[in-house]
Amino acid sequence: MNLDFVFENNKKWVNEKLNNNKDYFEDMGKEQNPELLYIGCSDSRVTAEDLMGMGPGEVFVHRNIANMVIGTDLNATSVVEYAVVHLKVNHIVVCGHYGCGGVKAAMQSEDLGILNPWLRNIRDVYRIHKKELNAIEDQQTKYERLVELNVQEQCVNLIKMASVQKAFRQKGLIVHGWVFDIHTGNLKDLKIDFEGLLNKIMEIYHLD
Ligand code: CO
């Protein structure tokens, strides 16, 4: 595939922006002030800003396979730290999606090499919620529920971080769990009880 079209598209995009506002890029170059940190899957079908109708400057984004927040992952934890402490975002969203290949892979007994330790974290989510998941007979329903529970557990992982605990107490930072339905395009709010979750696990994870 020849990638020249990308540069042609970029020119068109720049012209569109400048037609609407001649200072667009000059203003954008000054600073970023996003309200929201979005943690999503790397899946090519699940965009970040696009599906929320937001544009440049509005969302700080981190994406990886299956939207994971793993405590020893310096990449994800640095993004969270920077967003919360320095950019002072007021919302963190973990957005999973139905049809997630990472979650599906974690439900199968297959050696996937270097992916094993990454996917093991999703197997841990399965283990934590084994009772509920094993009670679901339909495979597709079970798979979709694991996608949702994985989002929930990644929200829990965020709560384990000192910077998130501190920002919640000091300025009411909220963690949200969403799922994007790739079959309909709809975004679903899992309505995770962030404060309830936080209170429930604080006995063990309180840091600050
Ligand atoms: Co995915």
Side-chain angles (χ1 to χ4, degrees):
M1 182 166 81
N2 185 315
L3 293 182
D4 287 349
F5 75 94
V6 171
F7 292 88
E8 282 157 27
N9 286 349
N10 172 254
K11 260 186 208 140
K12 277 185 217 154
W13 179 74
V14 169
N15 288 333
E16 265 170 38
K17 294 289 182 196
L18 292 177
N19 280 342
N20 287 333
N21 172 8
K22 67 177 175 43
D23 300 322
Y24 185 83
F25 292 102
E26 213 178 293
D27 292 345
M28 196 168 80
K30 285 177 192 153
E31 61 170 356
Q32 63 166 333
N33 205 5
E35 273 277 313
L36 177 74
L37 163 62
Y38 168 99
I39 300 172
C41 185
S42 298
D43 191 303
S44 62
R45 300 163 296 178
V46 189
T47 61
E49 292 91 342
D50 232 30
L51 68 88
M52 296 188 283
M54 293 172 96
E58 294 184 288
V59 198
F60 201 60
V61 175
H62 180 72
R63 292 170 70 179
N64 60 36
I65 292 176
N67 40 270
M68 306 299 285
V69 181
I70 298 166
T72 52
D73 173 11
L74 202 52
N75 188 349
T77 50
S78 298
V79 169
V80 173
E81 191 77 10
Y82 187 71
V84 170
V85 178
H86 300 279
L87 294 174
K88 302 187 182 350
V89 297
N90 292 316
H91 300 270
I92 306 180
V93 169
V94 177
C95 185
H97 68 105
Y98 297 134
C100 185
V103 173
K104 192 162 206 172
M107 282 178 73
Q108 283 149 8
S109 326
E110 198 186 337
D111 181 356
L112 293 167
I114 192 68
L115 285 169
N116 292 338
W118 189 261
L119 299 177
R120 191 183 305 141
N121 294 285
I122 307 171
R123 289 184 199 274
D124 291 341
V125 174
Y126 195 110
R127 179 172 48 78
I128 293 166
H129 298 279
K130 188 178 149 189
K131 212 170 150 192
E132 177 185 342
L133 289 165
N134 281 355
I136 303 171
E137 272 179 39
D138 180 62
Q139 279 302 308
Q140 186 62 20
T141 311
K142 186 189 286 200
Y143 171 31
E144 293 189 350
R145 185 60 187 145
L146 181 55
V147 165
E148 296 173 358
L149 290 169
N150 184 48
V151 166
Q152 185 183 308
E153 286 306 320
Q154 303 321 308
C155 292
V156 169
N157 285 343
L158 282 167
I159 298 169
K160 294 172 186 169
M161 296 179 65
S163 55
V164 173
Q165 294 177 11
K166 200 171 177 178
F168 166 71
R169 264 207 331 279
Q170 289 182 347
K171 58 188 189 91
L173 168 84
I174 305 173
V175 174
H176 309 263
W178 296 349
V179 172
F180 177 68
D181 187 338
I182 52 168
H183 302 290
T184 63
N186 290 321
L187 205 50
K188 177 175 166 187
D189 186 352
L190 296 178
K191 296 192 169 37
I192 282 170
D193 174 14
F194 170 57
E195 215 174 325
L197 266 183
L198 191 107
N199 290 332
K200 207 167 121 189
I201 68 164
M202 270 318 198
E203 182 192 348
I204 302 166
Y205 294 101
H206 190 280
L207 295 177
D208 187 80

